[in-house]
Amino acid sequence: MFYKPGPYNWSIRNVPQFAADMYGTGVGHGIAYEALVTGQADKLEGPIYDSIVKVLKNPPRLPIDEGAILPTFKRRYGELEKVFDWAHTLHFQTIGVLAHRGWTDAQKEAEIERIWQFYSEQPYAITGLPLNMEVLDGYSYSGAFRTKYPKVNGLFWGYHWLQTANYDMLYRTPVETHGPQYQVVGERYRETELFNTEREFMPMTGELSPRFAKRFPEIANSFDNLHMLHDNVNDILATNELTEVQKKQQIRIAIWRVLATTHQGETAGEGEANSLHDHRYPFGMPGMGWMKGATESEMYMSGMGWMNMEECGHCSIRLPSGDEWGATVSANGWTMMVRCMLCARDMASETIGKAIIRAATEDPKQTLVLISDELGNWTSNLPEIVFLEVKADHPECNDWSKVFTSRRAFDAYIAENPDYKDAQPIALSEWQTRNEGTPETYRRINRPSPYQRNGEVGP
Amino acid sequence: MKNLIIATSLLALGTLGAVSPALVHEADCPYCKLKLVQNTNAKDNEVVVRFGNKKIEYRCIYCVFADQKKLTGDLIVYAPSEAAGKPVLVRRTGGNWTAPEGTVFLNAFRRHQECAGLSRTFSSKSAFDRYVAANNVANAKALTLKEMLAEVAKAN
């Protein structure tokens, strides 16, 4: 079991800080696991937490062999380490392809399909089917780790935030934007997400990289299933209910639950509801398993609230598909899909902190990447962009609010769409100062959090 | 497959639903995480903070002051007053807060569920007194900007 050979391997190093932070996640996992199996659990929230944070603030410049960090854990749970290692290889190879310079998006997508096949053929592969997250997080030991060790659990979910948030940063975006984007993503990771102890559930790939998860649902699901396996293992090791022998048995069962071989012949979208073989997924997001409290169209995401993944996060109208897919907004630790540039801008301007917009232009080969500072001043990877914005009803907002790579492209669109013949191209400097407020079509889903305890809300 | 069939059926319904009558925007306060209280014809409730190209809405003036470290640069706070459509403009310029002469603050909430009604800004002490009397606010004290900031700092 080793990397599929390719010129892209370790292209993650094109963004050195991203690479270092990713290598740091392996060290963080390893130190915590070794502590849990060597009688140091009582130090986990104190000196061991401090030592992990020290590493995360000074992450290694090269990947570390986890076996050197967790020798006891590896001897005791060798098969689990195989499953983890192989899934981490999938992470790094997928990232390597996306960060690779010199390939087209089509070449990258084809290679990622091949990498998934290569990964799936091995016996330690995790299933790419969506699994019911409520079922997997519903065992008697579930929640033990996050309850006993909230700070270290925050670190684990922080690692998993980075390992899921990075894919939309890389997917179909120009390689030269990866570094500037990571300045925003990495800052969020290091300053906030690692230390977030208020998250109600682990980060999901479809939540943080919705475009990637829609395009590669099997990979997104396998990452989520991997991260749930991490949570299961943490909970088993943390619980007082089980003996050492029982813990070993339960970890083997937890591995079995997520392996591809366990679900062989099963199909996404099917399966008995609320069982281990429940492979339903929410509408519009095949790269995500069934979440606690979900209905077929609505689900709850920690930090984002209830949402419908088929709808624009700003105007609540159904998202477009195909080449004119709209845009995504990443801010405040979340990523939302929106229909048009107005929705993207106004959503970002109503959110504290830096933001990233990734948007379709008239040219499917050119994705716009806009990055804003804390004041909402945007910089663009495409220097000649102009905007169309002729405010009308939101069900057609992706027709009247658009971005073009050049004035010539804008003129061509106006020539084809005489309804906008009086529209003037808007420069980025003017566009960023606009704000149309909340769309009349916005629909808030008013339901309490399914994770809410005793009706507690607010600080 | 069943899932996909249902999905296709509901996609059509979803399209119809997309153009259903408009619903009022309700977001969460960035600080207390509770729902914003919408403005009414008679009373403003939403506290709007503008800085650069950002426009952030809070549930009350306390939440703004408590969250101010997250907000970059100079701020203009449109704080609802006793009169609908006539907010008091509270500013932070170069790190220093100012408010129009005569401005007083009410800060009498115990739980954030009450903050929108009991942490408010008034253009004058007489307006404060009328609001306190009309709403039977117990132990209300009219705070200056300096006193209000000190109370928030003490609580955080």
Side-chain angles (χ1 to χ4, degrees):
Chain A
M1 283 168 54
F2 196 65
Y3 284 66
K4 180 178 184 292
Y8 46 80
N9 281 318
W10 305 110
S11 292
I12 190 173
R13 287 183 297 188
N14 290 339
V15 187
Q17 184 64 53
F18 175 40
D21 287 337
M22 285 289 287
Y23 303 152
T25 67
V27 179
H29 278 112
I31 294 174
Y33 280 137
E34 188 68 1
L36 280 167
V37 299
T38 53
Q40 300 179 78
D42 59 330
K43 297 178 187 162
L44 209 48
E45 289 283 279
I48 291 173
Y49 172 84
D50 293 341
S51 69
I52 296 172
V53 170
K54 193 174 172 185
V55 172
L56 297 173
K57 287 186 173 173
N58 303 278
R61 299 289 153 188
L62 292 168
I64 305 293
D65 178 3
E66 286 187 25
I69 300 168
L70 40 69
T72 316
F73 184 85
K74 192 165 186 171
R75 278 197 299 277
R76 195 171 298 173
Y77 301 111
E79 68 276 30
L80 176 64
E81 269 297 287
K82 285 281 189 194
V83 175
F84 284 161
D85 278 352
W86 193 227
H88 294 157
T89 301
L90 177 65
H91 262 307
F92 276 105
Q93 288 219 272
T94 308
I95 290 168
V97 172
L98 293 171
H100 182 53
R101 294 192 179 111
W103 278 10
T104 63
D105 290 332
Q107 284 176 300
K108 290 181 178 185
E109 293 190 34
E111 182 63 9
I112 290 173
E113 299 280 12
R114 287 189 286 270
I115 284 175
W116 170 249
Q117 278 306 118
F118 178 76
Y119 169 82
S120 305
E121 287 163 3
Q122 296 296 326
Y124 292 105
I126 291 174
T127 183
L129 289 167
L131 297 180
N132 185 314
M133 291 292 139
E134 185 178 7
V135 169
L136 291 182
D137 198 40
Y139 297 95
S140 62
Y141 50 74
S142 294
F145 189 78
R146 74 199 73 151
T147 304
K148 284 174 90 169
Y149 311 112
K151 286 162 61 184
V152 178
N153 185 69
L155 295 179
F156 268 79
W157 285 358
Y159 312 147
H160 298 166
W161 181 90
L162 180 65
Q163 289 165 352
T164 50
N166 78 84
Y167 288 102
D168 266 14
M169 175 183 90
L170 303 171
Y171 173 61
R172 290 190 81 97
T173 57
V175 170
E176 61 271 17
T177 70
H178 294 169
Q181 286 191 75
Y182 194 69
Q183 285 183 14
V184 178
V185 174
E187 188 177 291
R188 178 78 196 181
Y189 165 68
R190 290 186 299 275
E191 294 180 6
T192 306
E193 295 301 332
L194 279 172
F195 308 105
N196 182 0
T197 55
E198 293 179 5
R199 189 174 257 282
E200 297 153 301
F201 193 76
M202 67 176 201
M204 302 288 287
T205 311
E207 167 193 358
L208 293 164
S209 287
R211 284 203 77 212
F212 176 84
K214 277 189 176 189
R215 174 62 184 82
F216 298 105
E218 291 168 315
I219 296 178
N221 287 322
S222 71
F223 290 153
D224 291 339
N225 299 336
L226 161 72
H227 294 158
M228 178 48 73
L229 176 60
H230 271 292
D231 277 5
N232 282 170
V233 169
N234 292 352
D235 291 338
I236 291 166
L237 293 175
T239 186
N240 297 325
E241 293 176 4
L242 304 172
T243 65
E244 287 306 309
V245 172
Q246 287 172 324
K247 286 184 180 185
K248 191 154 187 171
Q249 287 171 339
Q250 285 301 319
I251 285 177
R252 283 190 167 172
I253 291 169
I255 295 170
W256 170 81
R257 282 197 296 259
V258 300
L259 285 182
T261 47
T262 304
H263 301 278
Q264 210 158 23
E266 296 171 10
T267 308
E270 296 181 351
E272 185 186 343
N274 303 315
S275 76
L276 176 61
H277 302 281
D278 180 356
H279 301 309
R280 293 174 298 166
Y281 53 83
F283 289 165
M285 183 43 75
M288 183 182 282
W290 207 252
M291 303 294 288
K292 186 172 185 176
T295 66
E296 274 153 334
S297 59
E298 295 168 355
M299 78 181 106
Y300 181 87
M301 288 287 148
S302 186
M304 296 156 76
W306 286 95
M307 56 190 293
N308 182 326
M309 298 198 87
E310 284 186 320
E311 294 178 349
C312 171
H314 189 65
C315 72
S316 302
I317 307 290
R318 252 186 83 199
L319 290 163
S321 57
D323 287 342
E324 298 199 10
W325 51 271
T328 59
V329 182
S330 295
N332 207 22
W334 44 253
T335 293
M336 297 282 264
M337 295 197 76
V338 294
R339 281 172 60 84
C340 72
M341 293 309 296
L342 177 146
C343 288
R345 177 198 63 212
D346 289 356
M347 194 167 193
S349 72
E350 291 165 9
T351 306
I352 296 170
K354 296 174 182 173
I356 302 171
I357 292 174
R358 307 173 187 104
T361 66
E362 84 289 347
D363 179 355
K365 292 180 180 170
Q366 293 197 73
T367 300
L368 171 68
V369 177
L370 292 174
I371 300 176
S372 91
D373 62 15
E374 288 95 339
L375 296 171
N377 299 309
W378 294 94
T379 53
S380 168
N381 65 315
L382 302 173
E384 295 177 24
I385 52 166
V386 291
F387 297 85
L388 169 72
E389 190 170 309
V390 182
K391 193 159 184 300
D393 291 338
H394 265 276
E396 289 86 38
C397 63
N398 57 334
D399 290 336
W400 52 257
S401 173
K402 301 176 85 70
V403 64
F404 300 91
T405 56
S406 65
R407 172 66 194 259
R408 197 168 66 176
F410 173 91
D411 290 342
Y413 182 78
I414 298 298
E416 287 174 11
N417 295 274
D419 284 357
Y420 306 120
K421 65 181 181 341
D422 297 328
Q424 292 298 311
I426 303 167
L428 175 61
S429 56
E430 184 195 335
W431 177 84
Q432 69 184 5
T433 64
R434 296 185 171 199
N435 187 313
E436 295 296 336
T438 302
E440 290 183 338
T441 50
Y442 175 77
R443 179 176 71 98
R444 181 188 169 105
I445 303 168
N446 279 313
R447 292 173 62 191
S449 161
Y451 303 100
Q452 196 171 307
R453 285 170 295 187
N454 305 323
E456 292 167 8
V457 284
Chain B
M1 181 60 78
K2 187 182 168 193
N3 198 32
L4 297 176
I5 293 168
I6 296 169
T8 311
S9 312
L10 287 190
L11 282 181
L13 290 173
T15 310
L16 293 173
V19 290
S20 60
L23 292 161
V24 179
H25 172 54
E26 292 172 70
D28 291 336
C29 172
Y31 181 71
C32 71
K33 313 296 183 198
L34 298 181
K35 279 186 209 169
L36 299 177
V37 180
Q38 303 298 304
N39 293 341
T40 65
N41 288 338
K43 185 180 177 188
D44 286 350
N45 292 300
E46 296 166 33
V47 185
V48 177
V49 183
R50 296 204 79 127
F51 53 103
N53 296 317
K54 297 274 189 179
K55 177 190 160 200
I56 312 293
E57 293 179 358
Y58 284 85
R59 198 171 142 87
C60 74
I61 189 71
Y62 175 98
C63 289
V64 174
F65 289 144
D67 212 33
Q68 63 165 301
K69 283 181 187 166
K70 280 199 216 159
L71 309 177
T72 304
D74 294 343
L75 313 177
I76 303 177
V77 182
Y78 297 80
S81 71
E82 67 280 1
K86 293 183 179 174
V88 173
L89 269 57
V90 183
R91 295 169 191 269
R92 187 182 76 183
T93 310
N96 298 313
W97 286 98
T98 56
E101 196 176 336
T103 301
V104 292
F105 297 85
L106 169 68
N107 190 43
F109 73 95
R110 290 187 178 183
R111 299 171 62 240
H112 268 278
Q113 296 280 9
E114 305 165 337
C115 72
L118 295 177
S119 179
R120 295 187 65 92
T121 310
F122 300 90
S123 63
S124 65
K125 174 69 165 54
S126 56
F128 171 93
D129 291 337
R130 283 194 298 275
Y131 183 87
V132 166
N135 292 279
N136 296 320
V137 183
N139 303 318
K141 184 185 170 194
L143 302 170
T144 64
L145 174 62
K146 192 176 172 184
E147 289 168 336
M148 177 72 181
L149 287 166
E151 279 211 0
V152 177
K154 193 177 168 188
N156 289 276

